Structures are given as C-alpha cells and as structure tokens.
Amino acid sequence: MRFLRRLFIRFSNFATGRRADQRVREEMAEHLALQTEENLRAGMSPTEARRQAALKLGAAQAVREQHNAEQSLPLAENLLLDIRYAFRMLHRSPGFALVAIATMALGVGATTAIYSVIDATLLHPLPYPNPSELVRIEANLTGVGAHDIGLSIPELRDLQNSGIFQYVSLSFFGTNNLTGSTQPASISSKSVSPSYFAVLGVDAQLGRTWDPHDATPGFLPEVVISDGLWKRAFGTDPRILGKSVRLDNDVYHVVGVMPASFRDQGQTRDERSTDLWAAAGFYGDPAPPPMRGTRFPFETIARLQPGLSPEAAQGRLDALVASLKKQYPADYPSQGAWTIHLTPLAETLVGNVRQSLILLFGAVGLVLLISCVNVANLLLARASARGREMAVRQALGAPRTRLIRQLLTESLLLFLLGGITGFAVLFCARKFLLQFVPESLPRLNNISISWGVLAFAIVVSVAAGTIFGLAPAWLTSRLNLTATLRQEGRGSNGSQRRSRLRHVLVIGELALSLVLMIAAGLLLRSFWDLFKVQLGFNPTRVVAIETSLPNPNDPNTDIYHTATQEAVLLREVLRRNRTIPGVEETAVSDRAAIPLGHSQNDRRAVPLFREGQEAQSNQPPLIDTSIVSPEYFHLLDMTLLRGRLFVDQDVEDTPLVAVINQAAARMYWPGKDGKSEDPVGKRVHLLGRLGRARPDWTTIVGVIADARTESLADAGIPQIYIDIYQRPAKFLAFYVRGQVDPAAISAQVRTQIQSVDAELPVFRAETLDDVLSSSLSVRRFSMEMVALFAGTALLLAGLGIYGTISFLVNEQSREIAIRLALGAQRRNILKMVLRQGLTLAAAGAGVGLIGALIVSHLMCGLLYGVSPYDLSTFAGVTAVLTAVAIAASYVPALRAMRLDPITTLHTE
C-alpha cells in the first residue's frame, strides 16, 4: 500500500509539473527567510545573516533536484526536456531536418506499403474460426507423376471416419446460368458437400446452411446465396428464404444468405466472390456409381480435430493410406504410389506468389537500410559541426550518458517524424497505389492500412532510429576536449573515427544498391525474355467471349446433352458471328482451351490409355485435354507438323479423332534407338471428367507444334485436343478475329447467341492480348516494384556519396588550399577528389557483388531464360553504379579544384 501511495504521489507531482516545483521554491524561500531572521536576532549583520542562512540551507538547485528525484518521475521529465530541446535543434536546421525526414519517409513508407500487402496475404490468418485447423487434402499418384488427382466417394468416407478430421468436404468451382430475370446471367457458384460451411466454421446471417451429416445422394434442392447476390438479384428481399431460383433449368429453394463480410476461400478473385453454393452428395444421378477408381478431380478441404497439428495428422493419414493399400490392392497398384498429402489451407491460397512477395519485402528492406545509412551519414556530418558544443557541455560537467541520451533522442525524433510522414502519405495515397496491385494477387480485398500497419511503421522507425542513431551519438560523446576546443571552431580534420564510419556507411550503401540493382536487372531480363518468347499461337486481333450451356441434374432434360444436339447451336452461332462487320474468322472451344486465360479449375487432366501400352488395371498417365472446333487451329495460327486437323465431317457418329502437341508425342510415343515414333494413327482411350469412358477408341490424326497456352514459361506441357462436334462442352468461349471494337463485340456476339437461344448468358469478353498481359501481371508487378526500389536506391546512393565527398572536401579545404598555394595543379586536385569517390565505389561494388551472387542464387525460381549469374547484367549494373558514383563525386571535386587558397586560408 505504501508503494502504491508513493507511486501515486510521484505521478501527481509529475502531472502538476511546475506547480510542484513552485511549492518547493516557496518552502525554501520561507525557510531561508526564517533562518535569516533568526540570525539577525543573534546579532549578525543583514548580509552575514543571509549568507549564513544560505550556507545552512545548502545548494538550492541540488535540494530541488533531490526533491524532484524522490517525489516525481525524473526520467520522464528529462525525456520531455530532451524532446523539447530536439525540436528546437531541428527548427534551427530546417534544411537538415527536411532532407532527413523526407529520406526516412521514403524508406519507411515504401517498407510499410509492401508490409501491408504481405500482412494481408501471408501473415493475416484466414477469416474463419480456428484457421490453423483448416487443411487442404491432395491425393497424388507419384509413381506416374500425377498430382492432385482428387478423391473418390469411398475414399472421402474413409477420411471422414478416420477420426483425424471433424469434417471433410469436396468443392468444385464453376458457373451456373441464372434465368428468370430480365437478362440471363452467369453467376459464380460452387458445388460442395453439405459439410462445407461446417468445415469453414461459418453460418448464414439469414436462414441456415445444410446439415453436415446429410448423406442424400445427388444434388439437394436447397442453395445458399451470398449477400451480394441477395442484394443484386433479389433487392434485399426479407422474404428470400424459400424463394425458388432456376439454375441450368433446375429449380432450387434458397435456404440461407451468407453474411456480407463472408469471403469464400480460393486462389482467384472469382472463387473468393462466389455467389451461390449448392450441396451435393457426389453419388447417385447425375454422378457415377461410388467406386474407388472413380475420383472427382475437385478440391478437398477439411477441419482437423481440435489440438491435432497438421504434422501429427499427416502421420496418422500415412498409416491410413498404408492400410487402404493393403485392404484394396487392386485399386491401389504399387506402381501408382498413391499418397495423400495435407497442406495448411492458408498456404494453398497464397499459391506461387509467396516467393515474389518475399523478394519484394527484401528489396524494400534494402531501400530502408539505404535510407537509414543516408540519415546516419547526415547525423555524423551534423555531429562534426556540433563538436564544439558537445565539448563545452562536457567541460561544464555534463556526463557522457546524458549527452548520448540527448543525441539519441534527437535521432529517434527525426526517424519517428520520417516514419509518421511516410505512413501519412501512404494512408492518403492508398486507393491510388492499390490500382497497381495485380487483381490475381490472393486476398487482395484484405489489403488495408490498419492499426497493425501503423504499429509496424512506428516499430520500424524506432528500431532504425535506435540502431542508426546510436553510433553517431556514441562517437560524438567521445571527444578530446582539449583538441576539440582548440581546433573545432576554426576548421579541423574532425574525428578520424567519424570519417572511417562515414566511409563504411557509404560503402555499405553502395553495396546494398548494387545488390538491388542486379536483382532488378535480372528480373527485367527475365521478364523481357518471357514477353518476347515465341508463343506458338497468334493472339493479335482475337477476342474471346464466354458463355455457358445449361447443365441440369437430369440428363433427360438437357437439350444440349449430346454433341449432335450442341452442334446445331454452335454451327448456327458461328455462322451468325461471321456476319458481324469486321469479323474475318470465328471459332469455338471449351474454356480450358483459352490460351493463358483459364484457371486451374478449367483444366481437364484425364487418364490416357494407349493401345497396347497400358492395361486397364494399371495407373495411366494424365494429360490435359481441350475441346475445340476445326476452325480453332487456323484462327490462332497454330502450326500443323504431321497428319491433319479436324474437319467438318468429324461428327459424333464418326470415329473419334484427336490432335496432340509435340510435347505429348515426345512423352508418350518417344520411339526407340533415338528414332521418334510417329503417333499419327495411334489409338487411345480417354476417361471422362467423372470417370466415364467413351466406348470407342480415339485415333490420333495430327500433331501440332508446341504452344504456350498453359504457361508462358513452359511450352512442353503435353496436350490433346478433342473435336467439339464429337464431344460436347458446357463452358464455351467463342473467338472472333478481325478489325472489331473489343468494347462493342461482346454485345454483338450476345445478340447472335441469344437470337439462337435467349436463355444463354454472355460474359467476360477479352482480347487475347489482354489475357497475355494478365498472365504476366504478378511477374510484372514484382519487376516494376524491384526496379522502382533499385532506382530509388541508386538515387540515395548517389546522394550519399555526393554528401560524403562534399564533406571530405569541406574538411580538407585547408589542406587543399595549402597544396594550391604551394603550386599544386588544379587538375591534380580534381583527380585526388575523384580518386576518393572511385575508391569508395570500388569497395562498395566489391562487397555488393558478393551479396548479389548470394541473392541471385536465391532468385532462381523467379527467373526465366537468364542465368542467375548473368555476366552482362552484373557488369552493366556495376558500370552504371560506378558512373553514378563518379558523377556524384565530380561536383564537389570541381568545387575543390576552384578553391581560392588566399580566401580559404584567411577564413581558416
């Protein structure tokens, strides 16, 4: 209790401030007056009485300080005094303060901006309860190189009954046709297990979701909609529950509306903006019978049992897999090497951008370091100018710790002002800056300038101010008082320790700049090589417009169930599209065939059985398939190497045919003794997406050149193309090539499609050039940011070496003047100063090259077509940095060369 009382008194006195000190002054004055009066009564003279009273009282200032130390908070009071003094010093040097604050604002602002992206993408937990329990389940056949092959219904039940998971759910993202409104609409939807929302741990804001234990076969006649769809399509109707909606000609009833804040999990923006969820048992009509070999290539997510880590769960899952292999050896042949792998859901949603974001954070961290080094150099230069002030204060009795604390407070204030300024600029420009972030970045909607980001900016500023302000403060306090008081006022060579530290800082700054510039150079080379790579198809003047056909649960109600039925629609739409003014060619395909414009959900990897090479019991390899019309290859200018392409006579009633690319020919028909085998005429069996095999063999009739339709970085992905008039597709893309207006062609094609079938939606019209550009968006963003940071680093490095050489010239002005007075040539003075700058640049380049070799090795995964140790990039960037260093040294060198020795020596 006594401690709390004393603490309360200390806080009270600290809060009252001057009033408490005034009371002490008044008490001391009263005591002095009483003692003086007593001395006068003792017979002393007035002067002697006052003197004796003062001697008895003691040093008044010491008494006040002792009382303050015992009754108040001296550390806090001294801190306030130091801050007020620091503000006065910065106000006396506005140029220095402005440059230092702007430099730190640049470094801290850029670092905070990238941190806000990383915080939302990598660090922030998923917006679901207990997100660490959420995992993605991936089944692989490692023996045949097949990954993420999906699960069958029996395997799904095995996992659900294993005791490892609370709930397990399949989910398939796609689109559905919403009809009945003024205009047919295609909405993003997911077919999920009834346990889907139980896995995520979320519930509806209105109504309900499904019973997670519901085992009803087929599709449930109930759907859950998003808050956005509720507002857009139903006008926030409070009586939405129970209302009927028609999707792909099937009638469903709305049973729940998700909260406005709910964002579905998924790697793409479309997945995260899902509008409707339909529950399915994934067995019973229209699904195939639930057999172990019939796998759904859908995403599988699960929630672990409470307290079970992913590592422990993986161990128990491996034991389950081994048990199933022994129990069902015919379904899991040893050559397939069937495995199941767990990955935290948060990691899978980030995708392949983690390495790019870490690179960006490292790059902006180097910019921050360079900014800090620049400010530290400014503080050292300012410390040299204040050497006499510090010496006088020490001579008057100020302890070193007090001076260090004062100088460190000034540094911290400077760095904090810079950090707060950078954060304020970032906050005001956040909407403008978000325009440059690619839309394909995962969790883009979560990026915000929050209190956590502000805390990060403050922590970075305080840490940088402490680290980079301590060395100048410590060196400034270690003064030779006699030499400083004798020389500092009339031009000295300053502290050798400060000069060495400045040189070390500049060398470090140049080294960091070189590392960042080489990284930017490698990324630029890689991006340029990728941008200029031979595509294998021609995207110029091609527009793709998407539509989707209804896919009702009952095949008997599907008017486009067979290829023959669908061909009537497709041929008529193509005929009408050719009549659009400016259209030269037109074609149609499924969505998976859009070059570089389809998602992972659109890819159709199916087992490939080659005649005479695979037995039906073996695990066949998987191959990506695309369904296209005969005009597709000519419209995209793809090269035929052998055989023929599709023709109009290839229809559903004729033998099935296919075209493959070179990569498929090399991989699946490699030949023997160095001679490649001709795949034309070979026959294969292709299993459908849900495991249903066509009864006939498919004959390979042609081989086309490899095209980068799946990835710009890889042209060697095996692909097989199927004729759309022999095998129907539901998610379609119509292509037109010609002199057309991309903004108007969507409405024109919609008119043609809906004149044939008014119930079909038309959406997402893009030129293939835009699709190509979008596929490079993340790489472009990384390259642009690193290049921007490298340019900033180069500018800061140039300013740093300019400031250092200028200060050296200023320090050595007396020496230079004496040299000139004794007859030294001015060009020799120029060479001497330039030599100092070149020496610093050479040392910085040497250290930077070592760092660049390490960093470039870590960047291998981000590079394409360029070696991480590319000699031309290393040499070119080093030459640029050296040129900038020489240019930055040339201005102070000219000033030194033009020095007037008489004026300088007279001033000194």
Side-chain angles (χ1 to χ4, degrees), residues 758-775:
E759 296 295 314
L760 298 184
V762 179
F763 53 96
R764 199 180 293 130
E766 285 185 290
T767 67
L768 291 194
D769 284 329
D770 289 340
V771 172
L772 174 62
S773 178
S774 297
S775 69

Side-chain angles (χ1 to χ4, degrees), residues 255-267:
V255 296
V257 179
M258 297 306 294
S261 60
F262 176 72
R263 291 291 180 274
D264 204 354
Q265 57 86 26
Q267 292 188 11

Side-chain angles (χ1 to χ4, degrees), residues 197-217:
F197 291 112
V199 170
L200 296 180
V202 294
D203 204 354
Q205 65 166 329
L206 191 65
R208 61 174 175 82
T209 58
W210 310 285
D211 178 3
H213 303 290
D214 193 330
T216 304

Side-chain angles (χ1 to χ4, degrees), residues 571-639:
R571 293 184 190 277
E572 180 61 21
V573 172
L574 291 176
R575 185 189 69 79
R576 291 171 179 263
N577 284 346
R578 294 188 191 99
T579 66
I580 298 174
V583 172
E584 299 169 4
E585 292 183 77
T586 183
V588 65
S589 75
D590 67 349
R591 193 183 297 164
I594 301 176
L596 303 171
H598 53 269
S599 67
Q600 288 295 111
N601 289 319
D602 296 321
R603 293 184 66 177
R604 188 195 306 269
V606 301
L608 176 72
F609 288 97
R610 293 164 293 181
E611 186 178 23
Q613 297 192 39
E614 276 98 14
Q616 293 292 332
S617 60
N618 290 345
Q619 294 288 354
L622 299 180
I623 187 170
D624 286 341
T625 63
S626 298
I627 304 176
V628 303
S629 69
E631 303 89 352
Y632 175 86
F633 301 104
H634 187 269
L635 182 140
L636 292 180
D637 201 14
M638 291 181 166
T639 303

Side-chain angles (χ1 to χ4, degrees), residues 174-179 183-188 248 543-551 560 566 569-574 577 586-594 597 602 604 627 724 728-735 745-766:
T175 59
N176 284 103
N177 295 347
L178 179 66
T179 57
Q183 187 70 246
S186 176
I187 61 171
S188 57
D248 290 345
V543 182
I545 306 97
E546 296 184 36
T547 186
S548 57
L549 304 183
N551 190 21
Y560 302 115
E566 187 174 311
L569 168 76
L570 300 183
R571 293 184 190 277
E572 180 61 21
V573 172
L574 291 176
N577 284 346
T586 183
V588 65
S589 75
D590 67 349
R591 193 183 297 164
I594 301 176
D602 296 321
R604 188 195 306 269
I627 304 176
I724 200 168
K730 293 299 183 182
F731 304 110
L732 302 175
F734 283 94
Y735 306 86
I745 192 64
S746 176
Q748 293 172 312
V749 172
R750 176 185 290 110
T751 300
Q752 304 304 330
I753 292 176
Q754 292 181 351
S755 64
V756 181
D757 187 337
E759 296 295 314
L760 298 184
V762 179
F763 53 96
R764 199 180 293 130
E766 285 185 290

Side-chain angles (χ1 to χ4, degrees), residues 644-685:
R644 68 172 178 89
L645 300 174
F646 301 141
V647 294
D648 290 338
Q649 289 72 32
D650 294 323
V651 294
E652 190 172 23
D653 296 333
T654 61
L656 300 179
V657 294
V659 173
I660 63 173
N661 65 350
Q662 277 181 289
R666 287 192 301 268
M667 178 171 291
Y668 301 124
W669 291 275
K672 297 179 180 179
D673 301 326
K675 295 181 179 180
S676 61
E677 186 177 1
D678 187 1
V680 175
K682 303 295 183 182
R683 298 200 305 171
V684 297
H685 258 318

